[in-house]
């Protein structure tokens, strides 16, 4: 990791500003959103997440990478999808299932479980970034089960991740009924969320 001390204190707003400072950033987000509309394109889109995290880790540069050699993003994208499935997909599906059950049994109090589900989404999003960060450093599938290493950064920095996490989960949840827009909001929202979360994990030197 290169010296990134100058970027250690960037706020979420500053991270977003650096990401979207270039006019081409919106075009890159549009491409990512379009890829997320198809099953074939999703691995490529997740490969872009992989490439972006690797760039931030290597250089501390928050600007988005180029969409060059998209075929080289497929394998990293499949790896990123596997990581996110284990640390976000599975817990989120369990939470949604329990939410439906809670609604069926305790309909008047169902809103309480909605709050719990939002918290689960937030925690799992943060853990997915931590797991992806760990997997890039230790590219072995066994690392996906290293729950102590994955949980450690979040446990030490969770209070700094409330705002970006709630913003990301909240925006995606609000847009989710509008299915055609969801891939674009997810892709464009996850990039700054991932970048800021990674900054908190790495630049604070917690959980390493």
């Amino acid at each position: 990791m290169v010296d990134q001390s100058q970027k250690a204190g960037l706020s979420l707003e500053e991270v977003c500003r650096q990401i979207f400072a270039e006019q081409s950033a919106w075009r890159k987000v549009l491409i990512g959103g379009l890829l997320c509309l198809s099953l074939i394109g999703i691995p490529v889109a997740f490969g872009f997440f992989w490439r972006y995290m690797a760039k931030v880790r290597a250089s501390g540069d928050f600007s988005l990478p180029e969409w060059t050699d998209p075929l080289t993003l497929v394998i990293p994208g499949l790896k990123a999808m596997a990581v996110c499935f284990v640390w976000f997909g599975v817990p989120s599906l369990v939470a949604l299932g329990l939410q439906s059950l809670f609604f069926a049994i305790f309909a008047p109090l169902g809103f309480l479980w909605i709050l719990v589900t939002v918290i689960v989404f937030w925690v799992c999003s943060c853990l997915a970034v931590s797991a992806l960060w760990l997997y890039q450093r230790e590219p072995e599938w066994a690392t996906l089960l290293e729950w102590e290493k994955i949980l450690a950064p979040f446990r030490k920095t969770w209070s700094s991740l409330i705002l970006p996490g709630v913003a990301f989960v909240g925006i995606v949840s609000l847009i989710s009924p509008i299915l055609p827009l969801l891939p674009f909001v997810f892709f464009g929202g996850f990039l700054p969320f991932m970048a800021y979360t990674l900054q908190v994990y790495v630049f604070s030197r917690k959980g390493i």
Side-chain angles (χ1 to χ4, degrees), residues 6-48:
Q6 292 182 346
K7 296 180 181 289
L10 287 184
S11 66
L12 177 61
E13 180 182 359
E14 291 169 330
V15 170
C16 292
R17 185 180 299 115
Q18 289 198 19
I19 291 175
F20 296 105
E22 299 179 356
Q23 293 183 351
S24 61
W26 296 105
R27 173 178 56 82
K28 295 171 184 176
V29 170
L30 179 62
I31 293 173
L34 289 172
L35 288 169
C36 289
L37 289 172
S38 69
L39 293 177
I40 297 176
I42 289 175
V44 182
F46 272 73
F48 191 83

Side-chain angles (χ1 to χ4, degrees), residues 112-179:
L112 294 177
W113 194 258
I114 293 178
L115 177 60
V116 173
T117 303
V118 170
I119 295 174
V120 171
F121 283 174
W122 165 60
V123 173
C124 291
S125 298
C126 296
L127 293 181
V129 174
S130 179
L132 188 59
W133 175 43
L134 177 64
Y135 185 72
Q136 283 199 351
R137 290 181 290 139
E138 302 177 19
E140 300 290 340
W141 289 116
T143 59
L144 295 184
L145 302 179
E146 296 282 351
W147 63 271
E148 291 184 351
K149 290 183 179 180
I150 293 171
L151 183 61
F154 174 74
R155 185 174 61 243
K156 297 176 181 178
T157 62
W158 65 269
S159 60
S160 300
L161 302 175
I162 294 177
L163 176 60
V166 171
F168 171 64
V169 173
I171 292 174
V172 171
S173 298
L174 288 174
I175 299 298
S176 59
I178 312 175
L179 291 180

Side-chain angles (χ1 to χ4, degrees), residues 176-194:
S176 59
I178 312 175
L179 291 180
L181 294 180
L182 183 58
F184 302 94
V185 174
F186 165 75
F187 189 85
F190 189 70
L191 288 169
F193 170 75
M194 181 178 67

